[in-house]
Amino acid sequence: SFPYGPISGNGGKAAVGGLDARCDGVLFASYSLLVSGRAAQKGRDGVTTSSTSRLAQIIEWLGGSSASGLVVFDEAHKAKNTGSTDWVGASKTGQAVVELQQACPQAACLYASATGATEIKHLGYMERLGLHGPGRPHRDFEELRGAVERGGLAAMELVAITMRSEGMLSCRALSFRGTSFNLRTMQLEGAQVSMYTAAAELWQAMFKVLGDFLNAEKRYLRANYGKKNVSQHLDTSLTMRQFWGVQQQFFKQLLISMKVDRAAQMV
């Protein structure tokens, strides 16, 4: 940690360890640190300063409007919630990331994430991609977002193609060169067989209880709302999908846990 105030410190001495005599270097900051102090008391003129905000400290150190360094947002998906106009629905992290980019327009930005965006709204913090603005069909991100959401999956794929073709997006995967694998069959033994059998019997019992409950609920709804209105009050298919989904997760975790000791012996 380091004190609030200019990172350059007093007399040109850096308040952060690792920076050189001119206070230049690489500054690592977590997203939680980036938003800390934002709720603190503002300066006398009502403006948040480096004395009350970590974000303001970093912006000041980078050089603000004259900043020329590189800002790398690792695990960038943590800033995906930027909300809409006037920060409605935005997370503190998303807002801070956007404010940092806007305050340092000359600094280059790199977004790194292993988590892909499934919705166009999750790209709102990536202001430097150039997907909207001058020379583009859409003036701002909200206009782009509306067009892609109306276009559905095809429009989202078009955005991805554009990003790849214009060099905005680079995808990498870990190489399997020099690696090998083989399949081993593990037989359940003793207590594991008893545990699996007990688990199967438990889920069979729960399946029966759930079926009885749904049938009873259907009879109640038919008697009180009529046969045609049952589906409006009870979604049986959704309930069963959730049941089987949870059951699948349960047995997956159970089988994985049974393999741990054998896997450890093979290493």
Side-chain angles (χ1 to χ4, degrees), residues 79-80 82-83 98 101 119-127 132 141:
K80 66 181 182 180
T82 56
V98 172
Q101 296 174 82
E119 299 179 65
I120 185 64
K121 65 180 181 180
H122 294 158
L123 300 180
Y125 67 93
M126 298 183 179
E127 294 206 328
H132 53 82
F141 180 73

Side-chain angles (χ1 to χ4, degrees), residues 27 47 58 67-68 74 97 100-101 105 120 128 132 141 150 175 183 187 197 221 225 233 246 261 263-264:
L27 177 64
V47 178
I58 295 174
S68 59
D74 193 20
V97 166
L100 175 59
Q101 296 174 82
I120 185 64
R128 301 300 179 81
H132 53 82
F141 180 73
R150 288 191 298 272
S175 173
L183 299 177
Q187 299 295 332
T197 301
L221 293 173
Y225 299 98
H233 300 274
V246 173
D261 291 340

